[in-house]
Amino acid sequence: MYLENIILHNYRNYGDINFTPSPNINYIYGENAQGKTNLLESIYYLLTAHSFKTKNEYELVKWGGSYLRIKGKVWVKGDISNINIYFSNNKEKKILVNGKEVKRDSFFSMFPVVIFHPEDLLMIKEGPLLRRKFLNREITRMYTRYWKYLQQYYRVLRQRNSLLKDQAVKRKDLESWDEILCFYGSKVVYLRMKFLNKLDKYFKEIHGTFTNNKEDVRLYYKSCVNLEEVTQVDKTGKDKITEKEIYNQFFNLLKDKQEEEIKKRYTMIGPQVEDFNVYINNKNIKKYASQGQQRTAVLSLKIALFNFLEENNKFSILLLDDVFSELDEKRKRAVLDFVEDKGLQCFITSYEKKVIPAEKNSFAVYKLDGGGLVNENSGKFN
Amino acid sequence: MHYPQSLQELINTFNSFPGVGPKTAQRLAFYLISLPGEEVEKMARAMVKAKKRLRYCSRCFSFTEEEQCNICSDTGRNSFTICVVQHPRDVLVMEKTGQFKGKYHVLHGALSPVEGVGPEELNIPRLLERIKNEGVKEVIIATNPNVEGDATASYLSRQIKPLGVRVTRIAFGLPVGGDLEYADELTLGRALEGRIELE
Ligand SMILES: Nc1ncnc2c1ncn2[C@@H]1O[C@H](COP(=O)(O)OP(=O)(O)O)[C@@H](O)[C@H]1O
Ligand SMILES: [Mg+2]
Ligand SMILES: [Zn+2]
């Protein structure tokens, strides 16, 4: 997949811009606050109708403006799609693909894109919320049914918690919600485990490349159910997670916790409290790794995601915002080699130009200055 | 500009209907006043008549003009099977399949703690009484195939099973998260055949 053209009107600090990037590597540099992150955000927004920076979409409209418009042409497996997103301050929002209106939920997994940006580091440094968000977003992209399960799960959870808030909750009333809670909950947990197991394989591989095999990494899903017990060896000798076993454990655990839940007045177990950890050489990265190590690990995770998507026939665009700030020379090179070898479309931003080695002359280099892009290869003004 | 008071009142009335927004309410109001006087009076009479005459069937809680609805008083139908539905309109949906020959019980909703609806707010105690008194052998639960409908089914099954009665749930082929109302006769007919035993 690649982006042929993007047109912004009133997006963040951009008034009007018409950008026709290279189908390969686009290197965009410029001083602080020139709109590098905003540009990557707009590409991400064009392809997902979500911002990776904010939940409040008003922020995307240029100050003083009342609406924004993003248009783009995207090639997917030999077919071109025209995307048109319109968004106004009075909450009106329209997503059109080839002239037909598309709902946001189904649009989200239509055009795969992977972003790495500096704030992704918080995913490792902070509590489980951002990690769960990462899972929910990326699993939805991989297995569309996941979103439906998650929504249904939260609907049951809301009902059950509302019941638990009642001081005089009856056991038989509570129990009538348990089966349906476990039904959707086990589907959510199952897909999270399956997703992380697969992602782990790509993660190990790419992180090995980036670190000269000095760091062995691992992803580990922290569930209420016992991972070892729900994983069984199947006929072909492979590990297989069994959804039924997750259901059973979840259901039994709910019974064990009933007393405590009635006392505490909320549902204590389930995907809403679960988390995953990243390990480097068997140590939890959150506590025992340097900032640079953490940063490389997040980058590896994002690239692993890209490879995982690719293996599932979803060839995505890669956005790397400010990726080089804390990487040493070797790692910078490894990243550049990776994107070049893949032959994928990639957008890299940086505050300096000198990162690109002389022989990487296939890069399209742009200078960003006050919301205007200048192509330095051709001198053409975009 | 303000509309005359009576017109505004009419618009507000329509606006209070479920699923009717201000624009539709306006259109309906203008349509109504464009009709001949006797037409409007006929409509008003129909409304008042329906409201006056209709009441809940004392047995199944569906709508009726008598003490009991014509399904409950039909001696040709078997009383051993009760089909439990959420809403009176679901009775009609089930009847259209032509495949069900038992009786009904209308809950008038589904369990929903968020909205303060518990078993006592539904006609569940009356259902349990009927099962005990009417020699019921099977209860088919046809609540909506969504989270609340499923929890209601689970609750009912836990209450009814210990009475030694077979409990089944129609589930086959119904859209997940939907309303019974929107299931067509064919899928519902199949659903009825493929009903599953509740554990
Ligand atoms: N809605 C908006 N309207 C106008 N300018 C905005 C808007 N949102 C952010 N900005 C401006 O965009 C600039 C930041 O752009 P950013 O893409 O983060 O820069 P960088 O090049 O450092 O990545 C800031 O100067 C900010 O004031
Ligand atoms: Mg930036
Ligand atoms: Zn009746």
Side-chain angles (χ1 to χ4, degrees), chain A residues 152 155-156 158-159 162-163 170 172-173 175-177 179-180 184, chain B residues 111-114 119-120 146-148 150-151 154-155 158-159 176:
Chain A
Q152 296 296 317
R155 185 160 156 185
V156 190
R158 228 178 103 231
Q159 293 283 20
S162 160
L163 203 56
K170 293 194 193 100
K172 63 175 181 182
D173 288 356
E175 280 165 6
S176 50
W177 294 92
E179 280 164 32
I180 182 94
Y184 288 114
Chain B
L111 291 174
S112 176
V114 170
E120 290 75 28
N146 57 27
V147 161
E148 291 76 17
D150 281 343
S154 171
Y155 180 87
R158 281 155 198 272
Q159 301 300 301
V176 174

Side-chain angles (χ1 to χ4, degrees), chain B residues 47-56 64-66:
Chain B
M47 286 183 213
V48 174
K49 187 167 137 194
K51 185 64 204 168
K52 261 197 189 140
R53 290 203 187 168
L54 288 174
R55 52 168 151 157
Y56 295 139
T64 175
E65 292 187 359
E66 322 290 332

Side-chain angles (χ1 to χ4, degrees), chain B residues 57-62 68-69 71-72 104:
Chain B
C57 168
S58 63
R59 196 175 278 240
C60 74
F61 297 94
S62 185
Q68 283 189 13
C69 73
I71 293 176
C72 283
Y104 290 95

Side-chain angles (χ1 to χ4, degrees), chain A residues 12-13 31-38 53 59-63:
Chain A
R12 296 272 195 190
N13 65 325
E31 285 176 11
N32 277 334
Q34 296 308 306
K36 299 185 293 295
T37 303
N38 293 348
K53 275 180 76 179
E59 287 176 26
L60 305 182
V61 179
K62 190 176 165 99
W63 296 327

Side-chain angles (χ1 to χ4, degrees), chain A residues 233-297:
Chain A
V233 180
D234 73 0
K235 286 189 208 104
T236 62
K238 275 196 206 134
D239 282 352
K240 196 168 165 52
I241 303 164
T242 54
E243 198 177 317
K244 182 77 191 154
E245 188 55 33
I246 297 175
Y247 179 95
N248 290 341
Q249 279 205 31
F250 194 178
F251 196 76
N252 291 334
L253 213 55
L254 222 45
K255 265 194 214 138
D256 295 345
K257 294 266 177 198
Q258 199 184 55
E259 237 17 90
E260 209 181 334
E261 285 191 336
I262 289 173
K263 238 182 260 156
K264 294 200 170 154
R265 296 204 204 162
Y266 69 92
T267 305
M268 293 164 62
I269 55 166
Q272 78 281 7
V273 296
E274 295 181 347
D275 191 5
F276 75 89
N277 285 149
V278 183
Y279 291 87
I280 294 184
N281 298 333
N282 287 321
K283 290 204 170 71
N284 192 330
I285 186 172
K286 190 173 173 174
K287 292 182 195 144
Y288 299 106
S290 73
Q291 173 112 343
Q293 276 179 308
Q294 291 179 343
R295 216 174 144 81
T296 313

Side-chain angles (χ1 to χ4, degrees), chain A residues 42-60:
Chain A
S42 76
I43 295 173
Y44 190 86
Y45 197 81
L46 172 77
L47 300 173
T48 61
H50 277 79
S51 159
F52 55 80
K53 275 180 76 179
T54 178
K55 239 183 160 178
N56 180 8
E57 292 177 315
Y58 293 115
E59 287 176 26
L60 305 182

Side-chain angles (χ1 to χ4, degrees), chain A residues 35-258:
Chain A
K36 299 185 293 295
T37 303
N38 293 348
L39 185 65
L40 295 200
E41 185 196 33
S42 76
I43 295 173
Y44 190 86
Y45 197 81
L46 172 77
L47 300 173
T48 61
H50 277 79
S51 159
F52 55 80
K53 275 180 76 179
T54 178
K55 239 183 160 178
N56 180 8
E57 292 177 315
Y58 293 115
E59 287 176 26
L60 305 182
V61 179
K62 190 176 165 99
W63 296 327
S66 60
Y67 72 96
L68 72 82
R69 200 185 276 286
I70 312 178
K71 279 199 225 175
K73 284 187 170 51
V74 182
W75 285 94
V76 184
K77 292 176 193 142
D79 282 323
I80 197 161
S81 292
N82 282 291
I83 307 169
N84 213 323
I85 298 178
Y86 172 87
F87 178 72
S88 83
N89 278 348
N90 55 29
K91 292 225 155 131
E92 200 191 344
K93 179 167 178 176
K94 270 208 175 109
I95 307 167
L96 300 170
V97 178
N98 295 328
K100 280 205 199 83
E101 193 159 354
V102 179
K103 286 236 177 70
R104 199 178 172 155
D105 282 358
S106 50
F107 182 73
F108 180 70
S109 28
M110 278 170 95
F111 302 101
V113 53
V114 173
I115 168 83
F116 168 88
H117 69 119
E119 277 167 35
D120 280 335
L121 201 58
L122 297 176
M123 217 173 90
I124 282 180
K125 290 187 177 286
E126 293 203 340
L129 197 70
L130 288 174
R131 288 186 290 277
R132 279 198 295 270
K133 271 192 178 165
F134 166 81
L135 288 179
N136 293 343
R137 203 173 46 234
E138 299 308 333
I139 301 174
T140 298
R141 207 198 290 282
M142 199 66 75
Y143 315 112
T144 340
R145 65 187 187 279
Y146 177 82
W147 189 244
K148 190 146 207 165
Y149 295 153
L150 194 70
Q151 278 179 319
Q152 296 296 317
Y153 177 78
Y154 271 99
R155 185 160 156 185
V156 190
L157 187 67
R158 228 178 103 231
Q159 293 283 20
R160 197 173 180 275
N161 281 340
S162 160
L163 203 56
L164 279 165
K165 278 216 191 76
D166 193 341
Q167 222 160 354
V169 58
K170 293 194 193 100
R171 262 159 235 283
K172 63 175 181 182
D173 288 356
L174 194 60
E175 280 165 6
S176 50
W177 294 92
D178 290 358
E179 280 164 32
I180 182 94
L181 186 81
C182 293
F183 177 80
Y184 288 114
S186 58
K187 286 183 182 305
V188 169
V189 173
Y190 170 76
L191 285 177
R192 284 186 182 176
M193 286 183 174
K194 182 173 163 183
F195 174 84
L196 280 176
N197 270 0
K198 297 221 164 144
L199 188 63
D200 187 53
K201 194 187 100 199
Y202 299 99
F203 183 44
K204 276 188 166 62
E205 202 177 280
I206 193 74
H207 197 75
T209 315
F210 284 171
T211 61
N212 252 330
N213 294 320
K214 284 201 191 94
E215 290 179 5
D216 180 33
V217 286
R218 189 161 56 98
L219 295 172
Y220 184 82
Y221 189 62
K222 268 186 11 192
S223 177
C224 299
V225 303
N226 187 324
L227 183 67
E228 270 83 53
E229 279 174 26
V230 299
T231 311
Q232 282 157 17
V233 180
D234 73 0
K235 286 189 208 104
T236 62
K238 275 196 206 134
D239 282 352
K240 196 168 165 52
I241 303 164
T242 54
E243 198 177 317
K244 182 77 191 154
E245 188 55 33
I246 297 175
Y247 179 95
N248 290 341
Q249 279 205 31
F250 194 178
F251 196 76
N252 291 334
L253 213 55
L254 222 45
K255 265 194 214 138
D256 295 345
K257 294 266 177 198
Q258 199 184 55

